Amino acid sequence: MTQNSHTTNDLLLNTLEQFPNGASIEEIIARSRLKLNTRTLQRRLNDLRISGLITTTGKTRGLRYHLTNKNKLENSTNFPDALLSDASQKILTIVQSPIQKRRPVGYNRSFLENYQPNISNYLSLSELEKLAALGNTARLNEPAGTYAKEILNRLLIDLSWNSSRLEGNTYSLLDTERLISSGHVADNKSAKEAQMILNHKDAIEFIVQLADEIGFNRYTLLNLHSLLSNNLLPNPAASGRLRHIPVGIQNSVYTPLAVPQLIEEMFDLMLDKASQIKNPFEQAFFIMVHIPYLQPFDDVNKRVSRLASNISLNKHNLAPLSFIDVPNELYTKGLIGVYELNRIELLKDVFLWAYERSAAQYSVLRQSLGEPDPFRLKYRDQIRSIIRKIISEAMPRPQVEPFLQDQAKGLPEVDRDRLIEVVETELLSLHEGNFARYMVRPSEFRKWQDEWRY
């Protein structure tokens, strides 16, 4: 068997690990993103079945592939055994002990106060260098958010699904893709699960489309929470507002701050320190640690931290962190290590592993994108401004052509027809999954669509 065959088989096994109840061949194709035709993929899966690594249930269209019990055990223990540091193993041992044997603790102000931006470091120099190499997208010198916009459709699905999955959401990847792309709500799934995923979509569009305007400040974090918590909180007024009530942490002896004035004080201090951190990876991990630790909102804190960790990555055109394959239990244990011990090593190992997986995924996707069109890059701002005006004003079709002719007059003569062609092509390809790049409201887009139907 060739090295490439081994790599493909490993990817198939890792893919099946994400489906405890087995996966159809369509789900395997979507999740693994292997560039194989269906017949070749079926042969590979059959080879794995013959080798005893996977089993099947059902027939024809109902056929599903499963990891064998032996292989499930080996794969589920591979991550902690191979990649967790000694410090992480010790943290894991402590947080896995019975809850009644762990000492109750409250919020420790000094954990945040003692962190000095660009002097204190959660990530070592060698770790930062490795992350920088993994995240390089060849877009580093371009405007903030350029790379994330290129892969937005894929990122919407990956990050929405994985972040929701870490909250216990039972939507499959294919269900998530259908919900985001066409609004189709999966059968036998709760409205809450659909709302969670759609909220992620809105929040991701927010941090990607406004990459050059947002940052670690109140406006960004409060609005990010508002988008992620929309229609999910018992008290609608709590969406986008700092917490006024006490909260507890499930399966932990940690009790967060309960005094609103202290929550606000530490929230502002956290943002001030985060905004000063120069390295985007240190900044991303810092926010992944301290938002959940402070619990500044009534709920949805971890979701805010996962999307906020991408703000600095997007700004620097680095590969995003979409939490592909991150084990829910290990991620939760890493957070409990922060809550109860103020130790970051276990969560850091999860972060490092997760970023390596995400970067590898988008490296493959990036290669398939090819080089960007130099013309579109050159006139990026003009194209965006023109299309935004057409949509936001629900401009009727008969008015668009003279409007484009007028807008093109400001360009060199050789570029005028090309600009019109590009804008018209973009208008014809617009749909509900990609209009956010022009920073128009969903209501404006729907109004424009209605106008263009006639």
Side-chain angles (χ1 to χ4, degrees):
M1 188 176 291
T2 66
Q3 182 179 0
N4 185 56
S5 296
H6 281 297
T7 302
T8 300
N9 288 344
D10 289 343
L11 183 54
L12 288 172
L13 293 174
N14 288 334
T15 298
L16 286 172
E17 188 181 354
Q18 305 306 310
F19 294 90
N21 299 318
S24 67
I25 196 160
E26 291 81 10
E27 289 172 324
I28 295 171
I29 290 171
R31 185 71 183 93
S32 68
R33 300 179 183 83
L34 282 169
K35 303 295 185 183
L36 299 176
N37 61 50
T38 302
R39 187 160 298 189
T40 301
L41 183 57
Q42 287 172 329
R43 286 200 299 269
R44 289 287 177 84
L45 290 167
N46 191 53
D47 289 342
L48 291 172
R49 183 187 61 78
I50 293 171
S51 300
L53 296 174
I54 68 173
T55 60
T56 60
T57 58
K59 294 181 179 180
T60 59
R61 294 193 176 188
L63 185 66
R64 300 186 72 78
Y65 298 87
H66 310 255
L67 285 179
T68 61
N69 289 333
K70 175 178 181 295
N71 203 46
K72 282 182 182 178
L73 179 62
E74 290 172 351
N75 274 284
S76 64
T77 57
N78 179 61
F79 176 83
D81 286 349
L83 298 176
L84 294 185
S85 65
D86 290 341
S88 294
Q89 294 282 10
K90 290 176 182 177
I91 293 169
L92 195 57
T93 299
I94 294 170
V95 300
Q96 285 181 330
S97 62
I99 194 167
Q100 59 270 24
K101 293 186 177 181
R102 308 202 305 262
R103 182 173 61 87
V105 293
Y107 184 84
N108 176 17
R109 292 178 57 121
S110 64
F111 181 45
L112 174 60
E113 290 173 337
N114 291 343
Y115 183 94
Q116 301 179 60
N118 309 309
I119 298 174
S120 305
N121 288 292
Y122 288 155
L123 302 173
S124 69
L125 180 59
S126 62
E127 289 166 343
L128 292 173
E129 289 174 346
K130 180 180 180 181
L131 289 167
L134 289 169
N136 191 333
T137 65
R139 301 285 187 270
L140 302 185
N141 297 321
E142 296 184 11
T146 296
Y147 177 65
K149 290 182 177 73
E150 289 180 358
I151 62 167
L152 179 59
N153 289 342
R154 185 71 256 170
L155 181 62
L156 286 173
I157 296 165
D158 288 341
L159 185 49
S160 295
W161 182 61
N162 282 296
S163 183
S164 298
R165 174 181 60 81
L166 289 171
E167 296 300 319
N169 195 300
T170 62
Y171 260 65
S172 70
L173 182 63
L174 289 178
D175 287 339
T176 301
E177 188 170 23
R178 291 184 70 194
L179 177 62
I180 288 176
S181 63
S182 64
H184 184 276
V185 177
D187 296 335
N188 303 319
K189 303 293 183 184
S190 69
K192 181 179 180 180
E193 290 182 305
Q195 183 74 62
M196 183 188 296
I197 290 169
L198 292 173
N199 286 357
H200 273 87
K201 174 182 179 290
D202 291 342
I204 295 164
E205 289 174 337
F206 170 65
I207 65 174
V208 170
Q209 300 300 337
L210 298 179
D212 55 347
E213 299 179 25
I214 62 175
F216 292 102
N217 50 50
R218 275 181 167 255
Y219 159 73
T220 301
L221 270 292
L222 295 179
N223 279 279
L224 188 57
H225 179 263
S226 176
L227 289 165
L228 285 167
S229 62
N230 180 36
N231 202 27
L232 290 177
L233 300 180
N235 177 11
S239 186
R241 186 189 69 184
L242 294 182
R243 177 164 55 87
H244 293 166
I245 60 173
V247 295
I249 304 293
Q250 189 174 12
N251 300 320
S252 177
V253 294
Y254 168 62
T255 302
L257 284 173
V259 180
Q261 293 86 344
L262 290 178
I263 293 171
E264 185 163 355
E265 177 186 347
M266 300 312 293
F267 182 71
D268 288 339
L269 180 61
M270 175 189 69
L271 292 179
D272 180 58
K273 288 180 180 286
S275 64
Q276 294 180 52
I277 298 172
K278 295 178 180 178
N279 185 280
F281 296 104
E282 178 75 13
Q283 197 175 45
F285 185 62
F286 174 88
I287 214 72
M288 259 187 69
V289 168
H290 282 284
I291 289 180
Y293 184 57
L294 178 59
Q295 295 282 306
F297 305 108
D298 287 16
D299 198 0
V300 193
N301 291 282
K302 296 195 298 295
R303 274 164 268 179
V304 171
S305 74
R306 289 193 291 270
L307 266 66
S309 68
N310 274 288
I311 291 173
S312 52
L313 304 178
N314 290 346
K315 277 184 172 293
H316 291 82
N317 286 313
L318 295 160
L321 173 58
S322 54
F323 299 89
I324 294 167
D325 297 337
V326 171
N328 194 334
E329 183 177 358
L330 199 60
Y331 171 72
T332 301
K333 298 298 184 187
L335 284 173
I336 293 177
V338 172
Y339 297 154
E340 299 183 9
L341 307 170
N342 293 163
R343 295 283 300 275
I344 54 93
E345 292 90 345
L346 179 54
L347 186 62
K348 180 172 77 169
D349 281 347
V350 174
F351 172 81
L352 293 171
W353 184 81
Y355 192 74
E356 184 169 1
R357 303 283 281 187
S358 292
Q361 189 85 352
Y362 294 108
S363 175
V364 174
L365 179 61
R366 188 167 67 250
Q367 291 169 12
S368 70
L369 288 171
E371 288 299 313
D373 181 349
F375 184 92
R376 290 170 184 258
L377 191 59
K378 180 180 179 181
Y379 292 109
R380 173 176 173 271
D381 291 338
Q382 291 94 325
I383 293 169
R384 181 167 61 179
S385 176
I386 290 169
I387 294 176
R388 180 177 181 179
K389 185 175 179 65
I390 291 170
I391 298 174
S392 63
E393 295 183 5
M395 195 175 292
R397 286 178 185 263
Q399 295 180 18
V400 170
E401 184 177 351
F403 173 69
L404 292 181
Q405 294 286 350
D406 183 65
Q407 293 295 306
K409 288 178 182 178
L411 274 63
E413 187 172 349
V414 68
D415 288 339
R416 292 174 187 173
D417 288 342
R418 173 71 171 140
L419 178 77
I420 294 171
E421 177 189 353
V422 167
V423 171
E424 289 177 342
T425 301
E426 286 293 300
L427 290 171
L428 291 173
S429 65
L430 281 176
H431 54 79
E432 65 176 5
N434 65 10
F435 73 87
R437 70 183 67 161
Y438 299 110
M439 299 311 300
V440 294
R441 300 176 184 277
S443 58
E444 292 174 324
F445 180 71
R446 287 193 294 269
K447 185 177 179 182
W448 172 78
Q449 276 189 315
D450 291 339
E451 180 66 44
W452 271 56
R453 287 193 182 104
Y454 301 99

